[in-house]
Amino acid sequence: GVKQAIKYMERLDIVLEEKPHLVPAMLTLTVKNGEDLEERFNHLAKSWKTYQGRRRDFKKKNRGFNELCKVDGAVFSYELTRSDQGWHPHLHAVVLLDDYIDPVQLSQEWKSITGDSFIVDIRKLKPKNTQDLADAFMEVFKYALKFSDMDLEDNWSAYMGLRGKRLQGAFGDFRGVVVPEKMTDDLLDDLPYIELFYKYIRGIGYNLENTIKQQPRPKNEEEIRR
């Protein structure tokens, strides 16, 4: 996840140099909870595909404008959580906007596509705030499921329901980003990394805090001998 986040943050820097008018933002789309994970996931994925298709139609034919047409590029992923109300599928995307999205209109368009869901969220990201951007990209590239939080039956249902499914994607200015084949998150020389630690706050509990840090340069042999 960290290597993917770094590569897309690098692409973001390049795109914003070429198109400084674009505004990065975090988009979240949800669908109604349900007991059938595969059906709910397919419903979300199909709805998102329909929305992208309408955006492409406008770009090609200049008709059928919608709020997603304001997106110049996006990288997205699906996440599924489990609660007493069933499986909760949702989509996270870092998007590049050439005009800010109207959340009310976005919600109405999403409801018209899904037929059962209107809960959406869009928030601007601060392009000069590395922490804000890193948090957003890590939200996109974190694991789709936390298997350790589920019982054996739900683990099996998740495996059967999601095997072979494509859980990430990109289009527009974020298309074609190359990520190293080795996806293990070992530390990389001279690149920023994310340190996670928990702070206990009386009356609140444990609070997760993220900090971007710079990887120190490795010592050369001469320095080590000293």
mmCIF file of all heavy atoms in Angstrom, residues 17 59 96 106 114 139 196-197:
data_model
loop_
_atom_site.group_PDB
_atom_site.id
_atom_site.type_symbol
_atom_site.label_atom_id
_atom_site.label_comp_id
_atom_site.label_asym_id
_atom_site.label_seq_id
_atom_site.Cartn_x
_atom_site.Cartn_y
_atom_site.Cartn_z
ATOM 1 N N GLU A 17 1.860 20.253 -11.653
ATOM 2 C CA GLU A 17 2.795 21.177 -12.306
ATOM 3 C C GLU A 17 2.284 21.550 -13.692
ATOM 4 O O GLU A 17 2.413 22.691 -14.133
ATOM 5 C CB GLU A 17 4.182 20.530 -12.411
ATOM 6 C CG GLU A 17 4.967 20.535 -11.108
ATOM 7 C CD GLU A 17 6.374 20.000 -11.297
ATOM 8 O OE1 GLU A 17 6.779 19.808 -12.466
ATOM 9 O OE2 GLU A 17 7.061 19.751 -10.291
ATOM 10 N N LYS A 59 -17.707 13.359 -22.270
ATOM 11 C CA LYS A 59 -16.422 13.775 -22.821
ATOM 12 C C LYS A 59 -16.373 13.568 -24.337
ATOM 13 O O LYS A 59 -15.770 14.361 -25.066
ATOM 14 C CB LYS A 59 -15.286 12.987 -22.158
ATOM 15 C CG LYS A 59 -15.142 13.195 -20.657
ATOM 16 C CD LYS A 59 -14.672 14.588 -20.317
ATOM 17 C CE LYS A 59 -14.432 14.735 -18.817
ATOM 18 N NZ LYS A 59 -13.987 16.107 -18.443
ATOM 19 N N LEU A 96 -9.083 14.439 -9.162
ATOM 20 C CA LEU A 96 -8.571 15.754 -9.558
ATOM 21 C C LEU A 96 -9.697 16.515 -10.227
ATOM 22 O O LEU A 96 -10.218 16.088 -11.259
ATOM 23 C CB LEU A 96 -7.381 15.598 -10.505
ATOM 24 C CG LEU A 96 -6.137 14.956 -9.876
ATOM 25 C CD1 LEU A 96 -5.108 14.635 -10.956
ATOM 26 C CD2 LEU A 96 -5.535 15.887 -8.832
ATOM 27 N N LEU A 106 -24.407 15.548 -6.532
ATOM 28 C CA LEU A 106 -23.706 14.261 -6.563
ATOM 29 C C LEU A 106 -24.555 13.181 -5.909
ATOM 30 O O LEU A 106 -24.703 12.071 -6.442
ATOM 31 C CB LEU A 106 -22.360 14.391 -5.847
ATOM 32 C CG LEU A 106 -21.538 13.113 -5.686
ATOM 33 C CD1 LEU A 106 -20.992 12.649 -7.027
ATOM 34 C CD2 LEU A 106 -20.391 13.339 -4.695
ATOM 35 N N THR A 114 -27.879 4.070 -8.386
ATOM 36 C CA THR A 114 -27.937 2.890 -7.510
ATOM 37 C C THR A 114 -29.370 2.456 -7.230
ATOM 38 O O THR A 114 -29.635 1.267 -7.033
ATOM 39 C CB THR A 114 -27.244 3.168 -6.167
ATOM 40 O OG1 THR A 114 -27.955 4.218 -5.478
ATOM 41 C CG2 THR A 114 -25.801 3.580 -6.378
ATOM 42 N N GLU A 139 -5.755 5.785 2.453
ATOM 43 C CA GLU A 139 -7.142 5.343 2.565
ATOM 44 C C GLU A 139 -7.547 4.561 1.317
ATOM 45 O O GLU A 139 -8.275 3.567 1.399
ATOM 46 C CB GLU A 139 -8.061 6.560 2.742
ATOM 47 C CG GLU A 139 -9.507 6.217 3.026
ATOM 48 C CD GLU A 139 -9.736 5.675 4.424
ATOM 49 O OE1 GLU A 139 -8.846 5.822 5.285
ATOM 50 O OE2 GLU A 139 -10.812 5.082 4.649
ATOM 51 N N LEU A 196 2.917 5.011 12.329
ATOM 52 C CA LEU A 196 1.640 4.976 13.018
ATOM 53 C C LEU A 196 1.873 4.742 14.494
ATOM 54 O O LEU A 196 2.632 3.852 14.875
ATOM 55 C CB LEU A 196 0.762 3.840 12.465
ATOM 56 C CG LEU A 196 0.500 3.834 10.962
ATOM 57 C CD1 LEU A 196 -0.369 2.640 10.597
ATOM 58 C CD2 LEU A 196 -0.173 5.115 10.522
ATOM 59 N N PHE A 197 1.240 5.519 15.358
ATOM 60 C CA PHE A 197 1.326 5.245 16.770
ATOM 61 C C PHE A 197 0.024 5.666 17.441
ATOM 62 O O PHE A 197 -0.712 6.499 16.944
ATOM 63 C CB PHE A 197 2.530 5.933 17.418
ATOM 64 C CG PHE A 197 2.462 7.437 17.417
ATOM 65 C CD1 PHE A 197 1.970 8.138 18.505
ATOM 66 C CD2 PHE A 197 2.908 8.155 16.309
ATOM 67 C CE1 PHE A 197 1.909 9.522 18.500
ATOM 68 C CE2 PHE A 197 2.853 9.532 16.296
ATOM 69 C CZ PHE A 197 2.355 10.219 17.390
#
